Every structure is written in structure tokens, then in C-alpha cells.
């Protein structure tokens, strides 16, 4: 099976971008150390009125690797420590055309 893509858009309230970026950095550092992690990029909307101000696109070796990373108790500790949690909507995707 080919690698899978995680697309995770974030709703970031005005004035909260720095907090959202700091939180993203903590989560990204965790995910980079997990088995099956390939890469990730954080995108910022150009349009200030965009619903999703930040969007992460990450690549994983398999859905199972990504799901295992989500179930790791270490991730739960990071999430509990996050003081500002912007709503986000992660989903797994497969590439069907390039």
C-alpha cells in the first residue's frame, strides 16, 4: 500500500495564531518521532477570512502507523497540557492522481 496523507485544517481565532503555532510545534515534535511518520508541512491561509487559517498536510507509511501514534499515551499528555486548543478536523486520504 502507498503512503497515506493526513489533512488537518485548524480554525484559529483571530489573535491566537502564535498560541496555535506553539501548540503545532509541540505536536509536530511528537509525531516526527513516531514509527511510520514520513513528513509534514504546515500551511497558512492567504485570505484572512478563510475558515481554516492553518492546515497541516502530513504523510504516513500507513493508516495503522498514524492510528497507533494517536493512541499513544504520550500524545494524550501533550494534548492535556495544551492550553489553547483550536478546533481541528483531521482526515486520512490516499493519493489518486498526481
Amino acid at each position: 500500500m502507498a503512503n497515506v496523507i493526513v489533512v488537518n485544517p485548524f480554525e484559529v481565532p483571530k489573535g491566537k495564531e502564535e498560541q496555535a503555532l506553539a501548540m503545532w510545534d509541540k505536536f509536530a515534535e511528537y509525531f516526527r518521532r513516531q514509527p511510520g511518520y514520513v513528513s509534514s508541512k504546515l500551511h497558512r491561509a492567504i485570505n484572512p477570512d478563510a475558515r481554516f487559517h492553518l492546515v497541516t498536510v502530513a504523510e504516513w507509511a500507513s493508516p495503522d502507523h498514524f492510528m497507533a501514534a494517536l493512541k499513544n499515551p504520550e500524545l494524550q499528555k501533550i494534548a492535556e497540557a495544551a492550553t489553547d486548543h483550536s478546533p481541528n478536523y483531521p482526515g486520512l486520504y490516499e493519493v489518486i492522481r498526481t
Side-chain angles (χ1 to χ4, degrees):
M1 174 181 220
N3 291 352
V4 294
I5 305 300
V6 176
V7 177
N8 192 2
F10 294 82
E11 292 179 7
V12 179
K14 290 192 184 301
K16 297 288 187 176
E17 182 176 308
E18 288 305 315
Q19 293 93 329
L21 291 172
M23 186 176 68
W24 189 90
D25 289 340
K26 289 177 186 176
F27 282 98
E29 192 274 325
Y30 161 79
F31 283 119
R32 287 183 188 114
R33 294 185 280 107
Q34 301 312 301
Y37 171 86
V38 176
S39 67
S40 63
K41 292 182 181 178
L42 180 63
H43 306 265
R44 179 180 16 227
I46 294 172
N47 179 350
D49 297 327
R51 176 177 177 188
F52 301 114
H53 187 66
L54 299 174
V55 177
T56 298
V57 178
E59 187 173 359
W60 286 80
S62 73
D64 291 339
H65 283 104
F66 177 65
M67 297 309 291
L70 291 180
K71 293 177 184 174
N72 187 323
E74 182 182 351
L75 180 64
Q76 303 311 314
K77 290 179 185 175
I78 295 168
E80 289 170 7
T83 57
D84 181 34
H85 190 68
S86 299
N88 62 94
Y89 310 90
L92 282 170
Y93 296 83
E94 62 183 348
V95 175
I96 61 170
R97 289 193 174 94
T98 60

